[in-house]
Amino acid sequence: MNLHDIEERIKILCPFIKEIVVTIENGHPFAFIYPNFQTLKSAHIINIESEIRWYGVELYNLEVEESQKVRGYFISIHPLPKTESGKFDTTAIQELSNKTIQTSEDEPSDNLYQTIKSYLCTMSDAVILPSSHLELDLGLDSLNYVELFVFVEHSYGVKIDEKIFSNIMHMEELYEYIKEHKEYITPTKIEWEDILKEEDDEKLIFSPFIMFTYKTVLLPLFKLFFRLEVKGVENIPVSSCIIAPTHQSMLDGFLIEATLPYSILKNTFFLAFKQVFGTVFFNPIAKYGQSILIDANINLKESMLHASMPLKQKKNLVIFPEGARTRDRELLEFRPFFAMLSKTHNVPIVPVIIDGSFEALPSGKIFPRPKKVKLTYLKPIYPDDMTYAELTNLVKSTIKDAM
């Protein structure tokens, strides 16, 4: 196995990687990565880990055999260590992931810095220092960003969008930007339910005839080609709900579309990533297929409000809790946005198990295979008094127990 070839291929696939060293850990390739922060800023990327994982490491993994796949990675906010001769210091690099985290730095003592830090403490358990990177050190994600933007606007009168934020993703940079532009200092408590209930200027586009056509064509085709088996459709409420399927392949949204009863399908919208369904090939399908496209790096709050609209109008929303397709059939981490929507609008969640689409259309393949596919709609789960985390975990465990 040529580790240098792996490094070069991943760098070609992902322009946001400046340095990469691949070593062998527990018998498998493991990548140490230093991002190209300047390129990331220029492209206004604020979900750095996701960009590197899915459009670098995982794209590479799709191309190679199991033994050559990168099984893990570590993203460093500092350049990778080198020897005096200028070569990468492999020994020092391998120690990066075990390096003791710095616990103190000189920091501003003024009220502004302390209120920002206090708020970030509600979103991250990590030690917060002036040099902390808000994503790579503190672990903030898209949902945290939206919450942070709203907090900053309400508390300091400063508007921050993704374009601005991509250039101030260190604690000290965020503080300096707010300090320069603030109008007042009034720390304000932010509630997700208030955010998601805000009005949205966008309108939902209903396409009942096209949805009927999709279903009419796809259902018999899938039954013939995939020997499609469907169970539990009777578990879908007649009232508004969130449909939460597992995600194994590009077929999954179409499988849901084909198997929902038309009376439900015509009132159902699908949440999808713009990076995939905003492309030339898929955009016409999304545009006329009652899809709501979101971009993880642009207009996050507006996208979330738009995703909330079907539920506000007592319709249904299909959202994949994993947020991405599994690469090994194992469930990915469930992101809590679907649980937030469920609690905000007090609607049940219908978990769905999709089994077989992983084999029918593996990631990276274009043409499907005639493998058997099963869909099982489980009984609805109501939000009741659960927290977002409790509801998220319950949906995942319910799916896992039924698989």
Side-chain angles (χ1 to χ4, degrees), residues 109-126:
S109 58
D110 63 339
N111 186 43
L112 174 61
Y113 182 89
Q114 296 304 321
T115 58
I116 298 171
K117 181 178 179 179
S118 294
Y119 192 76
L120 289 174
C121 283
T122 67
M123 295 189 285
S124 174
D125 294 328

Side-chain angles (χ1 to χ4, degrees), residues 236-291:
I236 305 173
V238 294
S239 58
S240 177
C241 69
I242 293 172
I243 298 168
T246 56
H247 205 4
Q248 294 193 346
S249 85
M250 287 291 291
L251 289 171
D252 296 342
F254 301 106
L255 288 165
I256 297 294
E257 204 167 43
T259 56
L260 286 178
Y262 178 67
S263 59
I264 295 173
L265 178 63
K266 67 181 181 180
N267 292 313
T268 299
F269 286 78
F270 294 74
L271 194 63
F273 279 114
K274 189 174 182 180
Q275 287 93 328
V276 178
F277 283 88
T279 58
V280 174
F281 181 77
F282 284 112
N283 190 57
I285 298 174
K287 184 177 181 180
Y288 300 107
Q290 296 185 184
S291 297

Side-chain angles (χ1 to χ4, degrees), residues 143-300:
L143 294 176
N144 297 135
Y145 296 157
V146 173
E147 189 178 344
L148 179 61
F149 296 169
V150 175
F151 169 77
V152 169
E153 183 175 356
H154 289 193
S155 300
Y156 312 114
V158 179
K159 278 198 167 188
I160 294 178
D161 59 19
E162 293 81 3
K163 185 175 181 180
I164 294 171
F165 188 63
S166 64
N167 287 279
I168 54 171
M169 291 191 70
H170 286 84
M171 173 62 176
E172 191 168 25
E173 295 170 338
L174 176 67
Y175 160 71
E176 292 292 347
Y177 185 86
I178 296 173
K179 183 178 180 180
E180 181 181 349
H181 296 89
K182 74 179 189 304
E183 296 182 4
Y184 45 79
I185 301 179
T186 311
T188 305
K189 185 178 180 180
I190 302 300
E191 298 288 350
W192 261 108
E193 293 187 13
D194 294 333
I195 296 175
L196 293 174
K197 285 181 178 177
E198 290 182 19
E199 292 301 317
D200 184 17
D201 295 332
E202 295 287 334
K203 302 296 181 185
L204 293 175
I205 300 176
F206 289 83
S207 307
F209 175 74
I210 293 176
M211 298 301 281
F212 175 77
T213 303
Y214 284 165
K215 177 178 176 60
T216 302
V217 172
L218 292 176
L219 184 56
L221 179 64
F222 288 169
K223 282 187 173 181
L224 178 65
F225 194 75
F226 299 124
R227 293 166 287 150
L228 179 62
E229 181 181 329
V230 185
K231 296 180 179 179
V233 173
E234 67 278 4
N235 289 325
I236 305 173
V238 294
S239 58
S240 177
C241 69
I242 293 172
I243 298 168
T246 56
H247 205 4
Q248 294 193 346
S249 85
M250 287 291 291
L251 289 171
D252 296 342
F254 301 106
L255 288 165
I256 297 294
E257 204 167 43
T259 56
L260 286 178
Y262 178 67
S263 59
I264 295 173
L265 178 63
K266 67 181 181 180
N267 292 313
T268 299
F269 286 78
F270 294 74
L271 194 63
F273 279 114
K274 189 174 182 180
Q275 287 93 328
V276 178
F277 283 88
T279 58
V280 174
F281 181 77
F282 284 112
N283 190 57
I285 298 174
K287 184 177 181 180
Y288 300 107
Q290 296 185 184
S291 297
I292 297 172
L293 302 185
I294 61 172
D295 189 319
N297 294 297
I298 302 173
N299 299 326
L300 285 171

